[in-house]
Amino acid sequence: MSLETLVRKIEELRRRKNAVILAHNYQRAEVQEVADFVGDSLELARRAAETDADVIVFCGVDFMAETAAVQVCDGAGTVVAADSRVVQGIGGAMSGLAETSPIPEVIAKLKAKDCLVLDEMHAMIDQAAGLKFAFEKYNHVGVTVCSLDDAERCREVEAAAGKGKTAILFGVHITGMSEGDAERFMELVDITTACASKHMRRLAGRALAQVGVAVPIFAMTETGKELLLNRIKYLKRQVLIKTAELPELPEDRQPRPLL
């Protein structure tokens, strides 16, 4: 059957069944072309909730069910979450935790959302252990890391996990990191914020992309760059994208003091 014939049959069925077709933005081009809406998982979930169609055809990709994030949650410690709304909620509620104590109500709510809690008894924070825990269920895992030790241990876990397991490292809360640690850290992470780090700003000339200028986010790998560009697609505000020598850091926009 030719592609043209197949498209006609799909369109006929769509009209007859009052269907809406939702395609993930990592789907093949020919699938996206027949879709009513194209987006990431969160955007498609919103579209599905808003539609009045009788049938929803969801064109996902294999790794959508294999992806999770390892984060630090107040009241639970290191947590593995696969629901994007939970991931955003954890990050929005509180960040920069050095330690926390277990709160049974928080842990119960996380588990009700199918999250994995690394240490329910003590709410331990250990991102490398969290990554190893996540790899038992998921193949592609994003991890927040705030120190060189975290980043190195996570890459060791990834290497030991073998083929098909991928860790994407997000550098966070790195203000005060030493120059030597910052240099090695930027070699290991995919994306990092500059926070108020003077060394991150000085070393950011090796970044592939930059988002923001006051507290910039730098993509250090092609994977990181792709993630940043994908996120930009869904911003509702106007966006300026230009080529430039990085970093671009207007003096009057930087936090003070830089450490």
Side-chain angles (χ1 to χ4, degrees), residues 84-161:
S84 59
R85 293 166 297 183
V86 176
V87 172
Q88 291 176 344
I90 290 173
M94 182 178 290
S95 63
L97 286 173
E99 61 179 283
T100 187
S101 299
I103 301 175
E105 294 82 0
V106 171
I107 292 172
K109 288 183 177 180
L110 288 168
K111 293 176 70 175
K113 295 291 185 180
D114 294 323
C115 296
L116 307 176
V117 180
L118 178 65
D119 180 8
E120 296 182 30
M121 183 70 68
H122 305 99
M124 177 176 63
I125 297 174
D126 187 330
Q127 297 302 83
L131 176 60
K132 186 176 181 180
F133 190 29
F135 275 156
E136 294 178 8
K137 184 175 181 180
Y138 302 100
N139 290 332
H140 310 287
V141 182
V143 192
T144 57
V145 292
C146 63
S147 69
L148 176 59
D149 180 64
D150 274 350
E152 289 180 332
R153 290 175 59 224
C154 283
R155 288 303 183 202
E156 289 170 1
V157 169
E158 179 187 29

Side-chain angles (χ1 to χ4, degrees), residues 159-257:
K163 186 177 180 180
K165 302 290 186 179
T166 304
I168 300 173
L169 303 192
F170 297 82
V172 296
H173 312 301
I174 42 73
T175 300
M177 184 178 287
S178 72
E179 183 176 9
D181 282 5
E183 187 162 7
R184 175 60 178 154
F185 187 81
M186 295 181 86
E187 294 174 354
L188 294 171
V189 298
D190 296 281
I191 294 175
T192 186
T193 174
C195 289
S197 169
K198 61 184 178 182
H199 299 307
M200 286 292 181
R201 284 167 170 78
R202 186 184 67 79
L203 295 166
R206 65 186 66 177
L208 301 183
Q210 174 182 336
V211 174
V213 293
V215 183
I217 297 173
F218 298 112
M220 305 307 302
T221 65
E222 288 293 344
T223 296
K225 180 179 177 181
E226 182 180 354
L227 287 171
L228 287 185
L229 292 175
N230 186 62
R231 177 67 185 91
I232 288 170
K233 290 195 299 185
Y234 300 101
L235 294 178
K236 303 303 181 183
R237 300 175 61 185
Q238 293 175 308
V239 177
L240 169 65
I241 298 177
K242 66 175 185 177
T243 58
E245 184 176 341
L246 300 181
E248 186 169 310
L249 304 167
E251 186 67 24
D252 60 344
R253 299 286 303 280
Q254 304 310 298
R256 291 289 183 268

Side-chain angles (χ1 to χ4, degrees), residues 57-107:
V57 180
F58 195 97
C59 305
V61 287
D62 291 341
F63 64 79
M64 288 174 64
E66 303 174 353
T67 305
V70 178
Q71 296 174 274
V72 176
C73 178
D74 189 25
T78 293
V79 171
V80 181
D83 186 325
S84 59
R85 293 166 297 183
V86 176
V87 172
Q88 291 176 344
I90 290 173
M94 182 178 290
S95 63
L97 286 173
E99 61 179 283
T100 187
S101 299
I103 301 175
E105 294 82 0
V106 171
I107 292 172

